[in-house]
Amino acid sequence: MKKTLNIELKAAIFATISPELMRHGFSLKRAKDRFVRQRDGVTDLFQLVCLDGKPGYRIQPHVGVRIEQVESIFHQTSGFESRHQKDTPTMGNSIGILQSGDSRSCEFLLESESQIALIAEKITDVFCKFALPYFERWESLIVIDAELNGKPVERTHQRPLAWQRCSTGLIVAKLVGRPDYSQLSALYTEIMAQDNKGFYLKRFQALVKSLETVEAGSGLAR
């Protein structure tokens, strides 16, 4: 009975917020609890991660921007199964993490039907005030390059895993024609040699090799 109620609550919250997101060009991908918008080589992702609220759900909104050119290069050597390759964002995380470093700082507890309208209103408010400006900001390779490669040894909430941060950073550095590309390549290779006892090193080295065929600055024409 509880499981059935939770499924109904989840379906209701998605149905309630859908009209507002559709107005901005997003379509619901129900199997993955996310809304998707595609535009000129960029895919915007707005996902509601629904965790067990015991009872109900703890709903945490996530955002992501996927630059198709970046992800196409990344997946030449990523090792991801083909069915998962289309889901990876270039930048993104839970909104709570992005705002304060705590995923629960942007979370909504949905326990009953009577809360649906209010929580849907709060989620659409977050979408309009945080997600839409986020999508606009991170569509730019120049902005992504500054975030990842301006201070390459500092952590960023946008790409918290070292392998993905170094990979995305190096791809973007090549696409924008960054003059210190060679130094970044050496630095990121060193980081990969140390991270997780070098678990991702060979994969990263394969990426570095594949980037030899990518024209420096070719991403700026997008």
Side-chain angles (χ1 to χ4, degrees):
M1 184 68 177
K2 175 187 172 184
K3 183 176 181 180
T4 300
L5 175 60
N6 281 358
I7 292 172
E8 291 174 352
L9 288 175
K10 187 175 178 180
I13 201 71
F14 276 92
T16 305
I17 69 173
S18 284
E20 176 63 20
L21 273 68
M22 290 175 64
R23 192 171 68 83
H24 292 278
F26 285 77
S27 59
L28 174 61
K29 306 299 181 183
R30 190 65 185 84
K32 296 183 178 179
D33 293 343
R34 65 172 52 171
F35 293 86
V36 177
R37 178 177 68 180
Q38 295 180 324
R39 52 191 179 95
D40 190 26
V42 179
T43 302
D44 300 321
L45 308 167
F46 185 74
Q47 184 171 11
L48 298 183
V49 175
C50 299
L51 307 172
D52 191 351
K54 300 180 181 179
Y57 284 109
R58 291 167 33 223
I59 302 174
Q60 296 179 355
H62 287 228
V63 287
V65 172
R66 176 186 169 93
I67 310 296
E68 298 298 338
Q69 187 179 20
V70 173
E71 298 308 302
S72 175
I73 295 170
F74 174 66
H75 287 302
Q76 290 176 20
T77 57
S78 70
F80 282 43
E81 293 183 25
S82 58
R83 61 194 176 98
H84 296 308
Q85 292 182 8
K86 64 181 181 299
D87 294 328
T88 56
T90 304
M91 303 289 271
N93 210 325
S94 76
I95 292 178
I97 290 287
L98 295 173
Q99 287 181 322
S100 68
D102 179 3
S103 60
R104 299 199 69 169
S105 68
C106 184
E107 177 180 280
F108 306 96
L109 180 61
L110 176 62
E111 297 179 292
S112 67
E113 290 183 14
S114 63
Q115 297 174 295
I116 290 171
L118 177 60
I119 290 178
E121 181 180 352
K122 291 181 178 180
I123 291 173
T124 53
D125 188 61
V126 167
F127 171 79
C128 292
K129 292 181 178 178
F130 183 92
L132 288 177
Y134 180 94
F135 301 138
E136 183 177 352
R137 178 181 182 188
W138 296 106
E139 70 176 359
S140 166
L141 286 175
I142 295 296
V143 174
I144 295 173
D145 176 66
E147 174 71 13
L148 299 182
N149 299 320
K151 297 180 180 179
V153 298
E154 292 188 7
R155 292 181 63 84
T156 171
H157 290 317
Q158 301 290 342
R159 300 299 276 162
L161 299 180
W163 171 50
Q164 293 180 334
R165 188 262 172 81
C166 292
S167 298
T168 301
L170 195 63
I171 293 168
V172 172
K174 189 65 176 283
L175 291 176
V176 302
R178 196 174 177 92
D180 60 348
Y181 174 83
S182 295
Q183 293 94 317
L184 282 171
S185 179
L187 173 62
Y188 289 150
T189 299
E190 181 180 350
I191 291 173
M192 287 295 91
Q194 297 174 5
D195 183 67
N196 285 310
K197 299 180 180 180
F199 184 83
Y200 291 106
L201 178 59
K202 288 186 178 180
R203 221 175 295 187
F204 186 77
Q205 289 172 327
L207 171 65
V208 174
K209 182 69 175 176
S210 75
L211 284 168
E212 293 177 1
T213 64
V214 176
E215 181 183 355
S218 57
L220 296 179
R222 185 184 66 79

